[in-house]
Amino acid sequence: MIRLKDILLEIGSRVVKPKGVKVQLKNPEFGATSVVTFTLDGDKYVIDIKPLMVMPDDSGNLVIGYLKIDFDIEGGEFKMANKGNALEVFSNIMGGVQEFFDELTKEYPNTTIRGIRWDAKTEFEGDERRDKIYRIMIQKWAKSNGYSGKIVAGGGSTQFMFEPPVVLG
């Protein structure tokens, strides 16, 4: 029996810098949603990255509880994007997230991020297929960037909590 994890080890181990990626970075201090866009197979993807639970630390640097990530094809209402090619899409999504991290590092060095949160879209109640792909891809992305952490799930959301928290810069 072939397991999803084995398939991802074979073909899903890369994060791809998306073609035509653009980052519209907003000030995370006020919880403003940043937007990353890119094109894949003729579709324009939009990634919304919203910082939640933002506060200053003792030195005045920002601490972000977690970044809530949601994405869709432009013009959609954050439903299930590209049903037929989740691995390629999510490789590009994580590449877009990396571009966001790079821009955030330039503009807001010394910002601490405790985690990333997402709500995987499903086709039916109890469907966890996409969430499993997202979990593995985020763990691979984190590891490739020297981050470690753990998955925490509950209440319809999943989070990757960095251990220790990531300090940009």
Side-chain angles (χ1 to χ4, degrees):
M1 177 169 76
I2 298 174
R3 300 178 323 181
L4 175 63
K5 196 168 192 168
D6 295 332
I7 293 170
L8 287 170
L9 287 172
E10 291 280 327
I11 61 174
S13 61
R14 60 187 171 86
V15 171
V16 176
K17 180 176 180 176
K19 292 180 180 158
V21 65
K22 293 180 184 157
V23 179
Q24 298 171 359
L25 185 65
K26 303 289 176 83
N27 188 337
E29 185 174 0
F30 305 111
T33 301
S34 293
V35 178
V36 179
T37 58
F38 67 91
T39 303
L40 177 66
D41 295 332
D43 290 321
K44 184 175 180 182
Y45 284 80
V46 179
I47 309 168
D48 283 348
I49 303 175
K50 182 169 183 60
L52 298 171
M53 299 173 53
V54 180
M55 63 197 86
D57 65 11
D58 293 338
S59 301
N61 296 313
L62 291 180
V63 176
I64 299 172
Y66 54 91
L67 297 168
K68 184 174 187 316
I69 298 175
D70 210 343
F71 64 92
D72 200 357
I73 296 172
E74 186 175 63
E77 297 179 11
F78 290 101
K79 295 180 182 165
M80 192 175 302
N82 199 323
K83 294 181 182 182
N85 203 355
L87 291 175
E88 183 178 6
V89 169
F90 209 65
S91 290
N92 280 268
I93 294 296
M94 292 313 301
V97 170
Q98 182 61 51
E99 293 294 314
F100 167 80
F101 264 64
D102 293 347
E103 289 297 315
L104 190 64
T105 300
K106 288 181 207 169
E107 296 294 322
Y108 301 94
N110 302 316
T111 295
T112 299
I113 301 174
R114 298 191 184 282
I116 295 176
R117 175 182 163 192
W118 67 93
D119 302 320
K121 309 305 183 268
T122 61
E123 292 184 19
F124 52 87
E125 183 75 30
D127 181 11
E128 296 180 352
R129 295 173 295 173
R130 283 183 178 255
D131 188 54
K132 286 179 182 178
I133 291 171
Y134 298 173
R135 288 175 187 219
I136 292 168
M137 289 299 295
I138 286 175
Q139 288 171 321
K140 287 180 169 294
W141 169 80
K143 185 177 180 180
S144 73
N145 283 286
Y147 309 141
S148 60
K150 66 179 180 178
I151 297 289
V152 178
S157 293
T158 307
Q159 295 178 52
F160 181 83
M161 300 305 296
F162 296 110
E163 292 180 349
V166 171
V167 179
L168 301 176

